[in-house]
Amino acid sequence: MSTDGMLLSPAPHCEPQLEGAPAVQRSAPSNTVAAQRESVRRRPNSGTPASIRRVVRASCPQGAPAAVDPSAKAKRFAEQVFRLLLEVVDRRRSPSHLRAFTDARALAAINTMLAQDLIPGRSLGTATLNSVKLTLAHDGAAEVFASYQRGPRTLAIAGRIESAKDSWRLVAVRLF
């Protein structure tokens, strides 16, 4: 395949200009044949197709980054802690793995369920998390609920998470 008829343009600059640095100047093509082709095939708006300009604009930073929705962070935390909880109640992990994510009272309740073998449907097989939903109760707290599968049965988990120092903690939990 011959590349004689192809024209390439320089890549766009997506990084912001450094403070106090001189602006970058692009030089004209040194090859006179390439310069003639470029002048003949010049498109409006600096020769770049509109679709490519749209993609470049979307990928380059445009000011301050968008803030992450607090409910998205809470949902991500709830999914993580419920998956970990299911691994603990299946005895695939130690309850001490939950210590970093749960309140002392919630961890004590989980340990009691494990000690007294009060885990619903445990004889049906391994638990698999299906879906997690949450409702923001007030600033810094949310009610979370999830469904999980054990064999042919669908069961539920309910709990409450609260925000503390830029992180979430599970403060109450119940398995159904």
Side-chain angles (χ1 to χ4, degrees), residues 51-70:
S51 59
I52 294 175
R53 286 194 311 270
R54 263 193 312 272
V55 170
V56 169
R57 261 183 275 145
S59 66
C60 293
Q62 302 290 331
V68 177
D69 184 19

Side-chain angles (χ1 to χ4, degrees), residues 7-149:
L7 292 177
L8 298 177
S9 61
H13 286 286
C14 289
E15 291 90 25
Q17 189 70 23
L18 292 174
E19 291 181 18
V24 176
Q25 297 292 327
R26 297 205 182 260
S27 61
S30 60
N31 187 350
T32 56
V33 175
Q36 290 172 353
R37 285 184 189 158
E38 187 174 323
S39 66
V40 170
R41 299 179 114 185
R42 197 95 174 137
R43 291 186 185 113
N45 293 323
S46 73
T48 309
S51 59
I52 294 175
R53 286 194 311 270
R54 263 193 312 272
V55 170
V56 169
R57 261 183 275 145
S59 66
C60 293
Q62 302 290 331
V68 177
D69 184 19
S71 64
K73 282 185 175 181
K75 185 171 182 177
R76 198 171 323 120
F77 170 80
E79 288 173 355
Q80 177 187 13
V81 78
F82 281 166
R83 285 184 204 285
L84 188 60
L85 174 65
L86 290 176
E87 290 177 5
V88 168
V89 299
D90 280 347
R91 300 189 191 276
R92 292 182 279 158
R93 283 189 186 262
S94 167
S96 63
H97 284 101
L98 283 170
R99 187 173 295 132
F101 306 106
T102 60
D103 188 49
R105 290 173 293 187
L107 188 58
I110 294 165
N111 286 330
T112 301
M113 285 190 286
L114 289 169
Q116 296 180 3
D117 201 24
L118 299 174
I119 309 302
R122 191 153 179 275
S123 62
L124 296 171
T126 306
T128 306
L129 191 65
N130 288 342
S131 67
V132 176
K133 301 196 191 277
L134 69 100
T135 303
L136 293 175
H138 58 81
D139 194 32
E143 304 292 330
V144 291
F145 42 99
S147 65
Y148 66 101
Q149 196 80 28

